[in-house]
Amino acid sequence: MELLESGGTVSTRAVCERAGVQAPTLYHHFGSKQGLIDAVANHGFTQYTAVEDFGDPLHDLREGWDRHVRFGLEHPSFYGLLYGRAEPGKPCAVTAPAHAALRDRFTAAATQGMLKVPAADAAEQLFAANIGVTLTLISQPEPDFMLSERVREAALAGVLHTPTTDTPTTRASAAMTLRALVGNDPADLTPGERAVLDELLDRLARVS
């Protein structure tokens, strides 16, 4: 962590010298240099994942976005480990929980009739935009926080709407709401019934 934060060389030798151990000790605990890097990335990830739930999906999503950006700017080396090592066709195991947590927040929004698209799609779109703007701000000499806010609001507007009394309920939005409600309270549905219902509601949710 110290070597990354200081911009030093993260070599096995440098790490062992800083920790005051021999290379076999490092390999015993982490298996390899990559195992050590993965452990450091996982540690960095845990620094910003715990976000308080205020019960307001839109507020929680904005707070999660801003916390993500702040973490990236405060710890650019950690952020590079987390999101700068993309491999074709291989999702990052370390950041997968953050993606799942974001999907859960959109599912909560769906129970209030706020989603324009399925929760999984909404999570993909916001996650991609959040990572992209954070990497952009890291590369700027003076981070443009208004850029982050504009991209955040545009991304949220693309997947959410605020229900009002005169907003018509579409078949797709009704399906997304029902799917989220059933997910929270499956009642007496059997696993087979739940699977069939989930499939039907997913199909209806994607029909505008």
Side-chain angles (χ1 to χ4, degrees), residues 27-61:
Y27 296 129
H28 170 74
H29 288 287
F30 301 103
S32 64
K33 178 183 174 181
Q34 188 58 53
L36 173 65
I37 295 298
D38 290 342
V40 172
N42 187 68
H43 174 80
F45 169 77
T46 62
Q47 304 304 299
Y48 81 95
T49 52
V51 180
E52 185 177 353
D53 188 347
F54 291 91
D56 178 343
L58 186 56
H59 176 279
D60 292 342
L61 287 164

Side-chain angles (χ1 to χ4, degrees), residues 96-188:
H99 198 170
L102 182 58
R103 188 166 57 248
D104 289 343
R105 290 197 181 280
F106 277 116
T107 299
T111 65
Q112 300 183 25
M114 296 174 64
L115 278 191
K116 293 180 179 180
V117 299
D121 292 355
E124 287 281 359
Q125 290 176 222
L126 199 74
F127 206 55
N130 205 177
I131 294 169
V133 81
T134 304
L135 290 172
T136 298
L137 264 58
I138 288 173
S139 70
Q140 293 178 338
E142 294 292 335
D144 181 359
F145 292 102
M146 292 303 296
L147 171 63
S148 176
E149 182 176 336
R150 291 193 300 272
V151 175
R152 182 193 68 197
E153 293 307 304
L156 289 171
V159 297
L160 294 176
H161 65 77
T162 303
T164 61
T165 55
D166 57 357
T167 298
T169 300
T170 65
R171 180 171 57 182
S173 65
M176 285 183 277
T177 301
L178 180 56
R179 194 188 192 294
L181 291 171
V182 171
N184 290 337
D185 181 14
D188 295 326

